[in-house]
Amino acid sequence: MKSDFKSQILKEIEDWQKEGLISAEQEKNLTSRYSLPEIASEKSALAKIITFLSIFGSILVGIGVILFFASNWRGISKPVKLLLILSSIFAAYSIGYTLSYIRETYSKTGKAIILLGSILFGSGIYLVAQIYHFPANYPAGVLFWSLGILPLAYILRLNPILFLSSILLILWNILRLTGLDQPNYFYLIFLGLIFYLTYKAKSSRIIFTNLVGFIIWLMSYLYFWNRGFDTHASVVVLLNLGILFYILGRVHETNLNLGRLKYSYKFLGIALMFFNTYLLTYDNVYEAHYSILGREFPGIMVVNFAIVSLTFTVLAVFSFKNWGKNKIVRYESCALLIVILLSMTTLIFPEASMRHNHYRSEEFLFYPFIFNLVLLLEIIGVIVLGYLFKEISLVNLGILFFVIQILTLYFSVFWKLMPRSLFFICGGLILLLGGGYLEKKRKDIIIKIKSGEAS
C-alpha cells in the first residue's frame, strides 16, 4: 500500500512538471524528498527500455500480420478478409486498452498494443481498397490513416500515435507533391490541428517532427513560386525562417508551461541559420538573381518579405519584453537583427556572379566574404550561448559547423596555392591537431555545463 502511494505521488509530480506547474529542478527536489526510487520513475533507464521494446515489438508484429495477409490473401474470401481486418484492429485496441487503462497492470505494453492497432488500421485501409477494387490513391490512403488515428492520440494522450500521425501527414504531403503543380495548402490545415494536439501533449520531439514537415512544405512552396529557381532568394527565406524559429524557442523558454518545447525550435532554428549562412558563402548562390529594383518582382520576393516581417515583429516583441532583464537578450537581439538586415541587403542590392566568365576563379564577390565572417561569428555566439544556457546540443552544433567551415575554406583556398602532397600532409596534421583541440575544449565545456547543473 505504501509503495502504491509513493508511485502515485511520483506520477503526480511528473504530471505537474509536464504541465509546467513546477520546474525540472523542483521535480528533482520533490522526488528526493519523498525518497522515491529511480527505478519507479517514468524517466528511468529501465522505463525507457521497456517503452522501446514494447513499441519495437508492436511494429514487428504489425509487419508480420501484414506479411501474413499478403502471402495468404488470394485464397481468402472477401467476407473473411473483411472480418480478419476488422477483428484484428478491434482486438489490438481492446487488449491494449484493457491492459493499460482498465487493469493498469501492463501500461506500457498495453499502449504499445494500441499502437499496433493503429498500424493495422493503416494496412486495413489499403486492404479494403484492394478487396472492393477502389481506385488506388496512395496519398489519400495515407491521409485517411493519419487522420483516422488522430482522435485516438488525443483521447488517450498517446504520444507515439501522435508521432505516427505526424510522420504520415508529412508522407502524404510528399506524395501529393509528385502529382501537383502547386503547393499542397491543405497540409497547413491538418498541420495546424496536429500542432494544437502536440502543444497539449507538450512533446518536444513531435514539435521538431512537425517543424521539419513545415520546412519541407515551404521548400515545395518556394519551388512552385520560384520557377526560375533563384537559389539566393530561397536561401535567404530559409535563413530568416531559422532566425524566426530560434526566437520562438527563446519565447517558449520564458513561458513556464511551454519551456520544454524550446529545444526543438532553438536547435532547428540554429541549424537552418548555420546551413543557409554557409550556402551564402558560395559564389554560385548569387547567380541569376532577380533584383527587386528591376522590373520583375517574382513571388519568391513576397515570401521573403513576409518571413522577414514576421521574424522582425517577433524579435521586436521579445526584445521589448526582455531588454532590461538580461544583457544576453540585448546582445542576442542586436546580432540577429544584423544578420536579418545583411540577408535582405543582398536581395535589395544584388551582387551577380558572372556565370560564363572563363576567369571566374579570379572573380571576387563581396557578399561571400562577408558571410564567411558572419558564419564564424554565429558559430562563436552559439557555442557561448550553449555554455551559458547549459545546452550541450548547441555546443556540438556550433563545433560541427566550425569544422565544416574550416574544411571548406581549406579545400577552396589552399588547394590552388599549395603542391598536392604538401596540401594533404598539412591538411591531415591540421585535422588531427584541430580534432584533438576541439575534443578537449568540447569536454571542458560539457564538464562545466554538467557541474553547473549539479550545483
PDB file of all heavy atoms in Angstrom, residues 377-388:
ATOM      1  N   LEU A 377      31.128  34.227 -36.695  1.00  0.00           N
ATOM      2  CA  LEU A 377      30.591  34.909 -35.519  1.00  0.00           C
ATOM      3  C   LEU A 377      29.347  34.190 -34.991  1.00  0.00           C
ATOM      4  O   LEU A 377      29.135  34.113 -33.769  1.00  0.00           O
ATOM      5  CB  LEU A 377      30.265  36.367 -35.862  1.00  0.00           C
ATOM      6  CG  LEU A 377      31.475  37.257 -36.173  1.00  0.00           C
ATOM      7  CD1 LEU A 377      31.021  38.642 -36.635  1.00  0.00           C
ATOM      8  CD2 LEU A 377      32.396  37.369 -34.968  1.00  0.00           C
ATOM      9  N   GLU A 378      28.502  33.681 -35.892  1.00  0.00           N
ATOM     10  CA  GLU A 378      27.338  32.902 -35.461  1.00  0.00           C
ATOM     11  C   GLU A 378      27.776  31.671 -34.667  1.00  0.00           C
ATOM     12  O   GLU A 378      27.183  31.345 -33.625  1.00  0.00           O
ATOM     13  CB  GLU A 378      26.520  32.466 -36.679  1.00  0.00           C
ATOM     14  CG  GLU A 378      25.711  33.558 -37.323  1.00  0.00           C
ATOM     15  CD  GLU A 378      24.978  33.077 -38.565  1.00  0.00           C
ATOM     16  OE1 GLU A 378      25.173  31.903 -38.954  1.00  0.00           O
ATOM     17  OE2 GLU A 378      24.222  33.862 -39.153  1.00  0.00           O
ATOM     18  N   ILE A 379      28.796  30.993 -35.171  1.00  0.00           N
ATOM     19  CA  ILE A 379      29.278  29.779 -34.506  1.00  0.00           C
ATOM     20  C   ILE A 379      29.799  30.103 -33.107  1.00  0.00           C
ATOM     21  O   ILE A 379      29.467  29.419 -32.121  1.00  0.00           O
ATOM     22  CB  ILE A 379      30.379  29.113 -35.360  1.00  0.00           C
ATOM     23  CG1 ILE A 379      29.763  28.503 -36.623  1.00  0.00           C
ATOM     24  CG2 ILE A 379      31.112  28.038 -34.560  1.00  0.00           C
ATOM     25  CD1 ILE A 379      30.795  28.052 -37.647  1.00  0.00           C
ATOM     26  N   ILE A 380      30.615  31.144 -33.012  1.00  0.00           N
ATOM     27  CA  ILE A 380      31.143  31.544 -31.696  1.00  0.00           C
ATOM     28  C   ILE A 380      30.002  31.911 -30.755  1.00  0.00           C
ATOM     29  O   ILE A 380      29.973  31.507 -29.593  1.00  0.00           O
ATOM     30  CB  ILE A 380      32.124  32.727 -31.849  1.00  0.00           C
ATOM     31  CG1 ILE A 380      33.357  32.284 -32.641  1.00  0.00           C
ATOM     32  CG2 ILE A 380      32.529  33.264 -30.482  1.00  0.00           C
ATOM     33  CD1 ILE A 380      34.298  33.420 -33.000  1.00  0.00           C
ATOM     34  N   GLY A 381      29.040  32.677 -31.265  1.00  0.00           N
ATOM     35  CA  GLY A 381      27.912  33.080 -30.444  1.00  0.00           C
ATOM     36  C   GLY A 381      27.090  31.917 -29.943  1.00  0.00           C
ATOM     37  O   GLY A 381      26.691  31.882 -28.770  1.00  0.00           O
ATOM     38  N   VAL A 382      26.849  30.933 -30.812  1.00  0.00           N
ATOM     39  CA  VAL A 382      26.037  29.774 -30.419  1.00  0.00           C
ATOM     40  C   VAL A 382      26.772  28.916 -29.389  1.00  0.00           C
ATOM     41  O   VAL A 382      26.162  28.415 -28.437  1.00  0.00           O
ATOM     42  CB  VAL A 382      25.654  28.940 -31.661  1.00  0.00           C
ATOM     43  CG1 VAL A 382      25.115  27.572 -31.249  1.00  0.00           C
ATOM     44  CG2 VAL A 382      24.613  29.691 -32.487  1.00  0.00           C
ATOM     45  N   ILE A 383      28.076  28.748 -29.555  1.00  0.00           N
ATOM     46  CA  ILE A 383      28.844  27.972 -28.573  1.00  0.00           C
ATOM     47  C   ILE A 383      28.799  28.666 -27.209  1.00  0.00           C
ATOM     48  O   ILE A 383      28.626  28.012 -26.166  1.00  0.00           O
ATOM     49  CB  ILE A 383      30.299  27.789 -29.047  1.00  0.00           C
ATOM     50  CG1 ILE A 383      30.328  26.859 -30.271  1.00  0.00           C
ATOM     51  CG2 ILE A 383      31.158  27.202 -27.931  1.00  0.00           C
ATOM     52  CD1 ILE A 383      31.706  26.685 -30.872  1.00  0.00           C
ATOM     53  N   VAL A 384      28.927  29.986 -27.207  1.00  0.00           N
ATOM     54  CA  VAL A 384      28.855  30.742 -25.950  1.00  0.00           C
ATOM     55  C   VAL A 384      27.466  30.612 -25.326  1.00  0.00           C
ATOM     56  O   VAL A 384      27.320  30.369 -24.116  1.00  0.00           O
ATOM     57  CB  VAL A 384      29.192  32.233 -26.189  1.00  0.00           C
ATOM     58  CG1 VAL A 384      28.902  33.056 -24.942  1.00  0.00           C
ATOM     59  CG2 VAL A 384      30.655  32.381 -26.588  1.00  0.00           C
ATOM     60  N   LEU A 385      26.410  30.743 -26.151  1.00  0.00           N
ATOM     61  CA  LEU A 385      25.044  30.605 -25.638  1.00  0.00           C
ATOM     62  C   LEU A 385      24.792  29.186 -25.121  1.00  0.00           C
ATOM     63  O   LEU A 385      24.109  28.998 -24.104  1.00  0.00           O
ATOM     64  CB  LEU A 385      24.033  30.945 -26.727  1.00  0.00           C
ATOM     65  CG  LEU A 385      23.926  32.427 -27.120  1.00  0.00           C
ATOM     66  CD1 LEU A 385      22.982  32.602 -28.298  1.00  0.00           C
ATOM     67  CD2 LEU A 385      23.455  33.256 -25.937  1.00  0.00           C
ATOM     68  N   GLY A 386      25.314  28.187 -25.824  1.00  0.00           N
ATOM     69  CA  GLY A 386      25.167  26.808 -25.362  1.00  0.00           C
ATOM     70  C   GLY A 386      25.788  26.601 -23.999  1.00  0.00           C
ATOM     71  O   GLY A 386      25.241  25.881 -23.150  1.00  0.00           O
ATOM     72  N   TYR A 387      26.937  27.267 -23.775  1.00  0.00           N
ATOM     73  CA  TYR A 387      27.590  27.188 -22.462  1.00  0.00           C
ATOM     74  C   TYR A 387      26.772  27.923 -21.399  1.00  0.00           C
ATOM     75  O   TYR A 387      26.544  27.403 -20.297  1.00  0.00           O
ATOM     76  CB  TYR A 387      28.999  27.763 -22.548  1.00  0.00           C
ATOM     77  CG  TYR A 387      29.674  27.901 -21.217  1.00  0.00           C
ATOM     78  CD1 TYR A 387      30.146  26.780 -20.530  1.00  0.00           C
ATOM     79  CD2 TYR A 387      29.848  29.147 -20.630  1.00  0.00           C
ATOM     80  CE1 TYR A 387      30.760  26.911 -19.298  1.00  0.00           C
ATOM     81  CE2 TYR A 387      30.465  29.282 -19.410  1.00  0.00           C
ATOM     82  CZ  TYR A 387      30.916  28.158 -18.738  1.00  0.00           C
ATOM     83  OH  TYR A 387      31.521  28.288 -17.518  1.00  0.00           O
ATOM     84  N   LEU A 388      26.313  29.127 -21.728  1.00  0.00           N
ATOM     85  CA  LEU A 388      25.569  29.925 -20.750  1.00  0.00           C
ATOM     86  C   LEU A 388      24.219  29.307 -20.409  1.00  0.00           C
ATOM     87  O   LEU A 388      23.783  29.336 -19.249  1.00  0.00           O
ATOM     88  CB  LEU A 388      25.358  31.351 -21.285  1.00  0.00           C
ATOM     89  CG  LEU A 388      26.632  32.200 -21.452  1.00  0.00           C
ATOM     90  CD1 LEU A 388      26.289  33.541 -22.089  1.00  0.00           C
ATOM     91  CD2 LEU A 388      27.321  32.411 -20.111  1.00  0.00           C
TER      92      LEU A 388
END
